Amino acid sequence: METAEKLQGKVDAENVKEEINEEEESPIEEVRLTVTNTDDHTLPVWTFRMWFLGLLSCGLLSFLNQFFAYRTEPLVITQITVQVAVLPIGHFMAKFLPKTKFHLPIRGFASKKFSLNPGPFNMKEHVLISIFANAGSAFGSGSAYAVYIVSIIKAFYGRDISFLAGWLLIITTQVLGYGWAGLLRKYVVEPAHMWWPSTLVQVSLFRALHEKDTNRMSRAKFFLIAFVCSFAWYAVPGFLFPTLTSISWVCWAFSKSVTAQQIGSGMKGLGVGAFTLDWSAVASFLFSPLISPFFAIVNVFFGYVLFMYVAIPIAYWGFDLYHAKTFPIFSADLFRSNGESYNITAIVNPKFQIDYPSYDAQGRINLSTFFALSYGFGFATIASTLTHVGFFNGREIYERFRASYKGKEDIHTRLMNKYPKIPNWWFYVMLAVTIIVSVILVTVLNDQVQLPYWGLIFACGLAFIFTLPVSMITATTNQTPGLNIITEYIMGLILPGYPIANVCFKTYGYMSMSQAVSFLSDFKLGHYMKIPPRSMFLVQLIGTIIAGSVNIGVAWWLLTTTKDICHPERLPANSPWTCPSDRVFFDASVIWGLVGPKRIFGPLGNYPALNWFFLGGAVGPILVWLLHKAFPNQSWIALIHLPVLLGATAYMPPARAVNYNSWIIVGTIFNYFVFRYRKKWWTRYNYVLSAALDAGVAFMGVLLYFSLTLENQSLDWWGTRGEHCPLVDCPTAPGVIRDPQCPVF
């Protein structure tokens, strides 16, 4: 029989064990349910398979995303596509590559043995390949943001920029964000309370893909079947029958009514009844609806309805706001007061600055009411994001920030401590080199980029100040405040008349911060998946440089070989090279840089009243918060998320009504009905289907370009002549004539 002292000792030991287990658990329930608390540090990660598939996927995605960026429906192929597609390839390589071990003929490695096939394809290799791919998709954005600068200089302004200047601009803006991320990973990656909700989707998918698959229809087989179907079908809307991209039947029914076509056009109108049979139109701009949670789809739906079917009709038909009927109802172009297109090149002098006499001769720039209101909603979104996060999430962020300093390490951080950490001086050196190269760029090649050295330093200061709070907000709330308009506004006030200086300032300031947030998100994914930090560093850095280099190479090739690229008025009727996103970026360079906000949204412009949207956006969440506190039992009040509602149409322009209509419908079908009533199927195949549809469209699109478009092969029949809404751009103001085919009111 045991003594009381021994019994007490056992009890104390059990208590200590429980305390240790509780300490090691993540304090975030979602993390505890999703991320495993184990790690196999013996798994090889620097394998031939990882480098081969990682470099291949990075280069391929960089090429495809830049290639599609100039098309009317710019498909973005994301990390998830590679995540699914490389799995069967990895298993295939693990099965058939030779397992022979040999010595590397490199000094310092001669004693170590190396094999092309060190064993089964493992999850850590898979994660690193996906992070390579994420760099190739510019972290979900498609291509490097700075490519837009090269595009608008060559295609819209008709000026020259050297390949070297373009390459340096892209690489420095991308790597600069990596430098900020490296300095801040201690504060927003290692702490358990900084949990980065979006990374849990990736963790879930990795675990699902690496579970044993005993079903008759494996994920690999399902992917192959869906890929072949998507590949084959895209030949129809991509070449044989492009009208299927926007089936605007209201236009067909009312072929002589301007109002009906304004209401029914999916490409240039309100899109009532418009839909598509083209996956590239479904997934363009808003990305695949299959990977967006249903609550986000609902928020986007209400915001879209508020903007498109309440605000625009009232402003256009109700109040003729800003002479709305003088211009097309849906347009991102810039106009003169009489409805004619504004001749931008005429107000640019030989020094690539604004020519004020020519500007005065043409008069003030006018926007369509749709475009003006989209800026107003953008102002409100920025302000509402800051106040919403402050009032609804401020205490949570503050408490988690304190916990990140005072809280004890969770199991994931403890497991990661077994791996050699990245020395801080690596990031210091990289950041210093990047800033030095950037200073050389803006001084030696200033005639091409316009940005003064003090503007670069100012931009870096803004990025450094905002990266930590924005990263913390993203890490705890999954919301990333969009501050791009603020950077444009600031530089436009300080240095008007310099369009390229403005967009360079925005890219170095806002986009380097945005890149840093993306890098930190990948760091957290590696943290959860127990990837050695130094492997993460190399993969992210190499992937970023390769992706940026491929982006500028593809962009340069298309801009110099595709005749009249980005000019729909000069392109053939069914040409896809209309550059919708580049057009919006060009207009922004004119509004904020060339002309300047004082002459658009200030006292010298037509739209100073839109600045009130800043105040309205800031006050709105406060009112919702007060209502929530006054009526705590009404749970629906807390679900009113003004930043999402007001920012739902942030992609318009360049996105169009048909993109939103189809995205909402498809997303609802899969992420509500299929998820609710066929959850087992959804769990196994939903992400796989999304990846297969993206990949099929991408490869057929490239095949069509090289086999037909380059050979000037095309079809000419009713199904290749657009959506058949010829009157949608017609003004409805009395006496205004824009096109001979338009009726005169």
Side-chain angles (χ1 to χ4, degrees), residues 269-318:
L270 302 184
V272 173
F275 63 98
T276 183
L277 296 178
D278 179 357
W279 177 253
S280 70
V282 176
S284 291
F285 306 108
L286 294 162
F287 313 116
S288 172
L290 274 65
I291 62 175
S292 184
F294 181 62
F295 78 88
I297 294 171
V298 172
N299 277 302
V300 168
F301 169 75
F302 282 108
Y304 171 63
V305 169
L306 173 67
F307 178 74
M308 203 68 173
Y309 300 126
V310 177
I312 298 299
I314 290 175
Y316 189 87
W317 286 292

Side-chain angles (χ1 to χ4, degrees), residues 495-556:
L495 192 68
Y498 295 81
I500 306 306
N502 188 279
V503 293
C504 286
F505 179 84
K506 174 175 66 172
T507 305
Y508 275 108
Y510 164 67
M511 282 311 299
S512 68
M513 180 208 72
S514 179
Q515 287 292 107
V517 174
S518 300
F519 281 124
L520 288 165
S521 179
D522 268 0
F523 268 128
K524 192 66 178 186
L525 175 62
H527 186 82
Y528 284 147
M529 303 303 293
K530 315 304 180 295
I531 306 299
R534 296 187 180 187
S535 299
M536 289 284 298
F537 176 90
L538 283 174
V539 165
Q540 287 181 304
L541 182 60
I542 294 171
T544 300
I545 294 173
I546 290 175
S549 301
V550 173
N551 286 156
I552 182 64
V554 175
W556 200 269

Side-chain angles (χ1 to χ4, degrees), residues 138 221 223 249 256 295 297 316 360 405 522 567 617 644 658:
K221 184 177 180 181
F223 175 84
W249 58 269
K256 297 182 179 180
F295 78 88
I297 294 171
Y316 189 87
D360 293 335
Y405 280 94
D522 268 0
H567 293 280
V644 177
V658 68

Side-chain angles (χ1 to χ4, degrees), residues 40 42 98 105 176 181 212 229 299 344 360-361 363 388 417 427 434 471 473 503 505 507 535 539 541 553 563 736:
D40 184 356
T42 64
L176 186 63
K212 289 186 177 180
C229 293
N299 277 302
I344 300 300
D360 293 335
H388 178 92
N417 286 338
F427 290 105
T434 305
S471 299
I473 291 170
V503 293
F505 179 84
T507 305
S535 299
V539 165
L541 182 60
K563 185 180 179 181
V736 178

Side-chain angles (χ1 to χ4, degrees), residues 586-659:
F586 166 69
D587 290 343
S589 76
V590 174
I591 291 169
W592 302 108
L594 182 65
V595 177
K598 285 183 180 179
R599 287 177 168 78
I600 304 289
F601 302 108
L604 303 179
N606 293 333
Y607 308 98
L610 291 177
N611 290 296
W612 288 103
F613 277 79
F614 281 114
L615 179 61
V619 172
I622 299 174
L623 297 178
V624 175
W625 182 79
L626 291 173
L627 284 173
H628 173 57
K629 293 298 181 182
F631 304 99
N633 294 328
Q634 301 297 322
S635 58
W636 61 271
I637 296 177
L639 299 177
I640 300 175
H641 201 296
L642 285 181
V644 177
L645 288 174
L646 295 172
T649 52
Y651 294 102
M652 300 180 83
R656 303 169 178 84
V658 68
N659 303 120

